[in-house]
Amino acid sequence: MQKLIEKATTLMEALPYIRRFAGKTIVIKYGGHAMADEALKESFALDVILLKSLGINPVVVHGGGPQINETLKRYGIVSEFVRGMRVTDAATMAVVEMVLTGQVNKDVVGYLNQHGGRAVGLSGKDGNLLLCKKLLQEVKQEDGCVELVDIGYVGDVVKVNQELIQTLEHGKFLPVIAPVGVGEQGESYNINADLVAGKVAGALKAEKLILLTDVAGVKNQAGELLTSISLDDVPALIDNGTITGGMIPKVTCCVDALREGVKKAHIVDGRVLHAVLLEIFTDVGVGTEIQK
């Protein structure tokens, strides 16, 4: 009986959060171990389906870096990265689009639907969902000057067709977005999935942006988790090397999303079972919150 009472108490503790987020949109970037480990995959699927059942509108943006790396390796294509972004020539772009839209997106959609969801897969080309321009990556030189580097078919989102997403939400469907965008001439662009999640969240004025990662969150130089950082702290944390590599685009997209109207942004440890529910329905959370 005591265990049953504890379960009821847990549900009651979640009630204020359920009320607060009912009818709101939460954008979740799904990637890393959470996409590979079977227990984490099931945990994520059930979390998202539960949110939808409670009247909350999750929108999933997935990555696919390991799957892309594996396929590129089979084709004998070697990737380079500039500040966490993959340099993408025409051959690489063909593989990226094939893997993200033809394999990973359908796998995620199928898994969600298998567990009782009503997921619909989209790429940025569907309904001009993600209109892009070429992204020129900023690279700081030794003399302190910043140089803009062309890294190929890598896109920066200039417009999100939020109408398409909202139509699916109103129809009680769960949008699952592959990070492939389209340019003015119909050309395909590889987009960082974190960047897509941030842009989608900003366009939808989402209540929350949650990035699932393979680390506990942002750590200071002593290796301690920073549970909360402010927008104003971010430039200094990048300059002093606290935020480096692949964490830079994650934090940057959170900052941009907050400036575009998202209420809160979180970098969350996706290796924790039910990380999404823990972040949304508890005060403590499981990662780093970035605040205005």
Side-chain angles (χ1 to χ4, degrees):
M1 180 60 73
Q2 184 58 37
K3 288 184 178 179
L4 293 176
I5 293 172
E6 288 173 1
K7 285 184 179 179
T9 302
T10 301
L11 288 171
M12 292 307 296
E13 288 174 354
L15 184 58
Y17 299 100
I18 294 171
R19 286 175 172 162
R20 184 190 307 173
F21 299 127
K24 306 293 186 181
T25 294
I26 294 176
V27 177
I28 307 164
K29 187 270 180 152
Y30 178 46
H33 275 84
M35 289 181 70
D37 180 269
E38 194 61 33
L40 292 173
K41 282 171 62 178
E42 184 173 26
S43 165
F44 174 79
L46 294 176
D47 285 4
V48 170
I49 292 165
L50 177 60
L51 293 179
K52 193 68 178 177
S53 300
L54 293 171
I56 300 168
N57 294 315
V59 175
V60 176
V61 177
H62 66 78
Q67 295 91 330
I68 292 170
N69 290 339
E70 183 181 335
T71 306
L72 287 173
K73 186 176 179 180
R74 290 206 305 267
Y75 281 91
I77 300 172
V78 179
S79 286
E80 296 179 17
F81 290 84
V82 176
R83 291 191 77 201
M85 297 286 196
R86 187 189 303 271
V87 178
T88 307
D89 59 14
T92 302
M93 185 64 238
V95 172
V96 167
E97 186 166 13
M98 175 183 70
V99 172
L100 289 177
T101 65
Q103 176 190 334
V104 179
N105 187 265
K106 301 313 171 192
D107 286 348
V108 175
V109 168
Y111 199 84
L112 287 168
N113 290 342
Q114 178 188 338
H115 285 75
R118 298 182 73 209
V120 175
L122 301 165
S123 83
K125 286 185 164 182
D126 294 315
N128 286 332
L129 176 60
L130 303 172
L131 290 174
C132 293
K133 66 177 181 180
K134 181 186 283 286
L135 175 69
L136 297 176
Q137 184 67 297
E138 294 183 355
V139 177
K140 195 170 186 179
Q141 304 301 310
E142 290 183 2
D143 60 5
C145 294
V146 174
E147 180 183 353
L148 295 177
V149 178
D150 187 337
I151 51 177
Y153 291 95
V154 176
D156 186 13
V157 179
V158 295
K159 185 178 180 182
V160 176
N161 180 5
Q162 66 263 36
E163 233 180 280
L164 176 56
I165 300 172
Q166 289 165 343
T167 298
L168 291 171
E169 286 183 337
H170 293 154
K172 301 190 185 303
F173 290 100
L174 202 168
V176 179
I177 302 170
V180 173
V182 61
E184 287 185 353
Q185 306 302 317
E187 68 275 27
S188 298
Y189 281 105
N190 177 23
I191 321 171
N192 178 277
D194 298 313
L195 189 153
V196 172
K199 291 292 187 180
V200 168
L204 294 170
K205 300 295 183 282
E207 191 73 15
K208 283 181 180 288
L209 167 65
I210 297 175
L211 306 182
L212 295 181
T213 70
D214 285 342
V215 294
V218 179
K219 295 182 179 180
N220 63 20
Q221 293 181 330
E224 300 164 333
L225 179 66
L226 300 174
T227 57
S228 180
I229 58 179
S230 74
L231 293 183
D232 295 338
D233 294 334
V234 170
L237 291 172
I238 292 175
D239 287 342
N240 68 21
T242 299
I243 299 172
T244 60
M247 189 58 76
I248 292 174
K250 294 181 190 302
V251 172
T252 301
C253 88
C254 288
V255 168
D256 291 342
L258 289 167
R259 287 176 175 158
E260 290 176 17
V262 174
K263 299 291 177 58
K264 290 186 178 181
H266 309 265
I267 297 174
V268 171
D269 193 343
R271 301 166 300 176
V272 176
L273 287 171
H274 300 296
V276 173
L277 293 187
L278 289 171
E279 184 55 60
I280 294 172
F281 294 143
T282 68
D283 287 329
V284 179
V286 287
T288 301
E289 177 182 291
I290 302 176
Q291 310 175 62
K292 294 182 181 177

